[in-house]
Amino acid sequence: MKKIGLTLGGGGAKGFAHIPILEVFDELGIRPCCITGTSIGAILGALYASGNSAADIAEMIEQLMVPRNARFKDIIRNKDSFKVFSMIDPTFSFKPKGLIKGEKFLGFLYEQMQVSTFEELKIPLKTVATDFWGRKSVVFDSGDLLPALRSSMAIPYVFTPVIANGQVLVDGGLMNNVPHDLLDPSCDVRIAVDIMGNHSTPPDKIPSPIDAIFHTYEVMMDAMAQEKQTSHPVDIYIQPPLMDIDMLDFHKAESIYKQGLSVKDGFKRQLEALLSDENSKRGGLRKK
């Protein structure tokens, strides 16, 4: 059977759009031979590589979300509704290194995975962080898993950076947001998922300070992703048509997932076509 490599791009809350892609693998009864990911893509990649199904991951996310139609007094009465807020461990300082430390969220991830090193994963994984002062990407594929995930998702000023090996590590999206160039060269089929999406904002609107910060970040990541498509082409490049979703819109999980569903059937047909070609040559599709 052909070896499939999967890359899950970064994009904060937009990462919920990765779940329909993972569902396709589950429905076909196959698994990638390797996964690479940045930021939220690294997190979902780790969850999947640890043996969780797409349905498992969706259920985890539901546990963190406050019900969409819940009344305020019901939320107050139900302490479980605060689980998403309990993941936020703010840093209070006049000169904060980051507004959220992220340790509690990583503790939640460990509870779901029960895996603490790359070597324990069922699927080989590579994650990307950025050496802030060194202006270079840092790739993790061995050793402690949780610090690597935390550094990969450390959006500057939002999450506190990780200090390791004399480096200040922040979000890998600064250098390589869709790291399909890191897939194993032996892969027969390479798949990349880019979740940057688009905005319907009028082109002549003056951006707010927050818009300026985050949209500039997205412009940079999109430009790098386009260049990488040329220098490192893949067999299937998926771009869910996410519209008006910002990186911190975690409260829009359901909407993001539904928008991601729009590419699911097309991706499934593409993948089946590639695998059926192999199947016709070998007389059967061996599932893992």
Side-chain angles (χ1 to χ4, degrees), residues 203-234:
D204 58 350
K205 177 188 175 183
I206 302 300
S208 68
I210 294 296
D211 288 337
I213 292 171
F214 283 101
H215 192 65
T216 298
Y217 199 52
E218 291 181 353
V219 168
M220 175 191 67
M221 290 190 291
D222 189 54
M224 288 189 293
Q226 290 185 42
E227 188 281 329
K228 197 173 298 299
Q229 286 186 63
T230 300
S231 59
H232 296 84
V234 295

Side-chain angles (χ1 to χ4, degrees), residues 12-77:
K14 301 175 187 181
F16 299 138
H18 285 313
I19 295 177
I21 303 303
L22 299 177
E23 289 175 348
V24 169
F25 284 91
D26 292 343
E27 290 169 9
L28 294 179
I30 59 177
R31 290 268 169 162
C33 73
C34 62
I35 299 174
T36 64
T38 296
S39 195
I40 191 68
I43 292 169
L44 292 187
L47 287 169
Y48 198 68
S50 67
N52 290 288
S53 67
D56 293 332
I57 296 171
E59 184 176 347
M60 294 173 203
I61 292 170
E62 285 184 10
Q63 292 178 30
L64 295 176
M65 295 297 110
V66 174
R68 182 177 57 178
N69 298 320
R71 295 177 298 175
F72 181 74
K73 64 179 182 180
D74 294 329
I75 295 173
I76 293 296
R77 291 172 180 167

Side-chain angles (χ1 to χ4, degrees), residues 68-190:
R68 182 177 57 178
N69 298 320
R71 295 177 298 175
F72 181 74
K73 64 179 182 180
D74 294 329
I75 295 173
I76 293 296
R77 291 172 180 167
N78 183 2
K79 63 181 181 180
D80 289 338
S81 295
F82 281 100
K83 193 160 188 179
V84 65
F85 302 114
S86 72
M87 297 296 105
I88 300 175
D89 40 355
T91 299
F92 296 102
S93 170
F94 289 108
K95 295 182 180 180
K97 299 175 183 177
L99 300 178
I100 303 172
K101 289 183 287 185
E103 296 290 351
K104 292 181 180 179
F105 178 64
L106 290 179
F108 172 78
L109 286 180
Y110 176 75
E111 290 178 7
Q112 308 308 312
M113 296 187 296
Q114 293 296 304
V115 167
S116 58
T117 68
F118 282 86
E119 287 78 9
E120 295 174 80
L121 295 171
K122 297 180 180 180
I123 301 173
L125 173 71
K126 291 182 180 179
T127 68
V128 182
T130 297
D131 176 351
F132 187 82
W133 296 115
R135 302 179 186 177
K136 60 184 180 181
S137 63
V138 178
V139 179
F140 293 94
D141 60 4
S142 63
D144 291 337
L145 177 62
L146 295 182
L149 296 180
R150 202 188 86 166
S151 62
S152 187
M153 74 176 194
I155 300 172
Y157 200 75
V158 176
F159 290 94
T160 54
V162 173
I163 311 300
N165 300 319
Q167 298 172 308
V168 177
L169 302 177
V170 297
D171 186 8
L174 287 171
M175 294 297 299
N176 194 352
N177 197 50
V178 191
H180 51 83
D181 56 313
L182 299 180
L183 290 171
D184 191 320
S186 68
C187 289
D188 303 298
V189 178
R190 293 184 294 173

